[in-house]
Structures are given as C-alpha cells and as structure tokens.
C-alpha cells in the first residue's frame, strides 16, 4: 500500500492486501540426478525435460512446490510465509543430497574443494 501511495495512486477505499504467494530461490551447490529423483518419488514429482528443464516436486506439508534443476538451483513457490519456504527446503534437502550427481563436471561458478 505504501508503494501505491508513493507513486500517486489513491484507491477509492481501503485496500485489504493479503499475501498469497512467496517465492524463494536457493542453490544447493551440487548437481542433481533428476531422472533418479522422479523414479523414486513418482507420486510427488513430474519431470518432462522435453517440455520444461526442471523437475516439479509438490510437497504436501508445507504445501509448496519446488522446481528443481539439474544444476542444483531450486525455486520454492506457493508458500504463504517465509517459515514455509524454510521448512520446505529443510524437508527436501536430504532427498536432494541422496540424488546428488557423483563425478559430475564442475558447474560454472562452483568452487572446487579438496578433501584432506
């Protein structure tokens, strides 16, 4: 409402704003095997690489949708609060680690680490 007033928009009556959707992005830092993930979780996920390059994963609780890309980038959408975004990633992160690509070539921007 503040932004609307600042640009000069004067609504006829009071507007009741309500948060409907929050979107968050995260890079988990490793590539993900999307094919393995969709075969292991067919009830909650769909992956059609000919139509869209990301896997669509629908969590039941919290009710959010994750768009997971092979690069390790994840978009979380459908949350009503920031806490739901965090909870969705917290629940999904162990699954992403399970389907981490091994021996993958480095992703641009990735910093290689050397185990000692």
């Amino acid at each position: 409402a503040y932004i609307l007033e600042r640009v000069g928009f004067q609504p006829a009556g009071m507007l009741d704003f309500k948060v409907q959707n929050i979107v968050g992005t995260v890079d988990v830092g490793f590539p993900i095997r999307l094919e393995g993930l969709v075969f292991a979780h067919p009830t909650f996920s769909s992956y059609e690489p000919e139509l869209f390059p990301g896997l669509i994963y629908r969590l039941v609780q919290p009710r959010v949708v994750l768009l997971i890309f092979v690069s390790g980038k994840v978009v979380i959408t459908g949350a009503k609060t920031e806490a739901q975004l965090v909870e969705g990633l917290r629940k999904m992160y162990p699954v992403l680690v399970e389907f981490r690509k091994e021996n993958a070539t480095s992703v641009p921007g990735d910093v290689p680490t050397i185990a000692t």
Side-chain angles (χ1 to χ4, degrees), residues 1-109:
Y2 170 76
I3 294 172
L4 292 176
E5 289 174 8
R6 186 156 174 166
V7 297
F9 177 74
Q10 297 295 325
M14 282 303 271
L15 296 178
D16 185 21
F17 284 97
K18 189 169 146 187
V19 174
Q20 294 291 334
N21 184 32
I22 298 176
V23 178
T25 61
V26 66
D27 184 351
V28 294
F30 52 84
I32 301 165
R33 293 181 294 115
L34 299 182
E35 296 84 3
L37 180 53
V38 75
F39 285 126
H41 298 257
T43 305
F44 305 107
S45 61
S46 64
Y47 179 52
E48 298 290 336
E50 299 85 14
L51 302 176
F52 182 69
L55 180 143
I56 301 167
Y57 197 101
R58 297 179 190 280
L59 277 177
V60 176
Q61 190 62 34
R63 191 172 173 203
V64 295
V65 175
L66 293 93
L67 305 176
I68 305 166
F69 298 89
V70 72
S71 65
K73 303 253 190 320
V74 179
V75 177
I76 308 168
T77 186
K80 301 247 186 227
T81 65
E82 188 176 344
Q84 287 179 336
L85 289 176
V86 172
E87 179 69 10
L89 181 62
R90 188 188 65 74
K91 284 187 173 183
M92 198 62 199
Y93 188 79
V95 176
L96 298 177
V97 170
E98 180 183 348
F99 291 97
R100 177 182 193 155
K101 270 191 181 179
E102 298 298 327
N103 301 324
T105 58
S106 63
V107 178

